[in-house]
Amino acid sequence: MFENVIVRRPARSMVEGITSAPELGRPDYTLALKQHEAYCEALRRCGVAVTVLEPLEAYPDSCFVEDTAVITRKGAIITNPGAPSRRGEAAEMLPVIRGFFPEERIFSIGAPGTLEGGDVMMVGDHFYVGRSARTNREGIAQFLAILEGMGLSGSEVPLEHVLHLKTGINYIERETMLVSGEFVDRADFASFRRIVVPEEEAYAANCIWVNDRVIVPEGYPRLEAKVRQAGYSVLTVDTSEYRKLDGGLSCLSLRF
């Protein structure tokens, strides 16, 4: 169960954020703020305390706090984002993490290693980490060594098409994963119950489990129905403006 969530309000500069889908248009900042507020309210309905950080105008993508740290039950790992324009974001997150963990339980990924939290999927005490354009072999090696030192485990998952691991697969507890695209038949996850995301709703693979509820992006009815049919209580939140920046539900928070 989660007790805390950290989020950061989007900066006005978010309209200049990184995107692989310029055809979706630039984000509407006013709408993005409203969607962020609704996201925070959904999290509170799940029974967690939400820490809301101030915007960072110098970092257009800084609302995607998940990429700046990985938080385990044993401690926190400050990342080193692979996107050069985002590397200062992790340093901004460090003092916030110090408010939750003592210094001896905070670790970090150092250059030349890169790692973004969107490539890390927690399944109990095991962490799957995607090797992507943003997370390299050295970053993964450092990450796995830190996990081992904590008494936790991890394994690498090479990615073929998606930006981040959790773009295409997400664990929603109860030995269940949402899978899409390249992950539908991946052997790494064969032992789990898998809910296949309809191809036309692939974006919705990025759902989050928070204290026995699953938050699903609004506007993806087929996947929402599948999650409900699997026995979960569902909340929906519109993330249309974050999708324009390759972002989804998990990207917007650190949950622990």
Side-chain angles (χ1 to χ4, degrees):
M1 301 291 280
F2 296 133
E3 296 180 359
N4 293 288
V5 172
I6 298 170
V7 302
R8 187 182 294 281
R9 286 194 181 92
R12 290 185 180 276
S13 60
M14 74 173 290
V15 298
E16 306 297 337
I18 302 168
T19 182
S20 65
E23 69 277 6
L24 296 178
R26 288 157 64 95
D28 179 319
Y29 177 67
T30 300
L31 181 54
L33 278 180
K34 291 179 180 178
Q35 291 178 351
H36 197 266
E37 290 167 4
Y39 179 77
C40 293
E41 181 54 32
L43 289 166
R44 293 187 184 101
R45 288 179 63 188
C46 296
V48 294
V50 181
T51 298
V52 183
L53 306 179
E54 291 303 307
L56 291 175
E57 291 295 340
Y59 299 101
D61 294 285
S62 57
C63 58
F64 301 126
V65 292
E66 179 180 59
D67 289 321
T68 65
V70 176
I71 301 182
T72 80
R73 67 180 183 85
K74 296 287 191 73
I77 303 167
I78 303 299
T79 68
N80 185 32
S85 65
R86 302 196 62 191
R87 288 184 183 154
E89 294 176 34
E92 295 282 354
M93 185 56 68
L94 178 56
V96 180
I97 297 299
R98 284 176 172 149
F100 293 93
F101 293 93
E103 201 68 36
E104 66 271 17
R105 292 176 61 194
I106 301 174
F107 306 86
S108 62
I109 303 297
T114 63
L115 184 136
E116 295 190 359
D119 277 319
V120 179
M121 180 173 64
M122 180 176 70
V123 180
D125 282 344
H126 187 82
F127 293 76
Y128 292 95
V129 53
R131 177 159 48 83
S132 69
R134 303 283 187 86
T135 295
N136 65 18
R137 289 183 185 274
E138 173 60 25
I140 293 172
Q142 292 182 35
F143 181 70
L144 296 181
I146 293 168
L147 289 178
E148 184 177 355
M150 291 179 173
L152 306 174
S153 63
S155 56
E156 178 181 320
V157 181
L159 306 185
E160 298 173 10
H161 305 295
V162 293
L163 173 67
H164 284 139
L165 178 66
K166 286 186 293 196
T167 302
I169 182 168
N170 284 270
Y171 185 59
I172 53 173
E173 302 297 320
R174 305 184 196 174
E175 296 299 308
T176 301
M177 290 186 175
L178 302 177
V179 295
S180 67
E182 65 191 85
F183 302 106
V184 171
D185 297 312
R186 187 70 71 91
D188 309 63
F189 310 111
S191 64
F192 295 92
R193 177 173 69 154
R194 287 163 291 173
I195 298 174
V196 177
V197 181
E199 186 176 350
E200 68 275 15
E201 294 189 357
Y203 172 78
N206 188 248
C207 297
I208 53 175
W209 177 95
V210 184
N211 298 349
D212 288 332
R213 289 184 170 180
V214 176
I215 303 179
V216 177
E218 187 176 290
Y220 301 88
R222 292 183 63 192
L223 179 64
E224 179 184 344
K226 285 190 173 193
V227 175
R228 291 186 187 277
Q229 288 163 9
Y232 294 91
S233 174
V234 171
L235 297 174
T236 61
V237 175
D238 189 357
T239 55
S240 65
E241 303 315 290
Y242 300 95
R243 183 182 183 183
K244 295 173 182 178
L245 300 177
D246 303 324
L249 286 164
S250 77
C251 312
L252 290 165
S253 62
L254 288 167
R255 304 164 299 281
F256 58 102

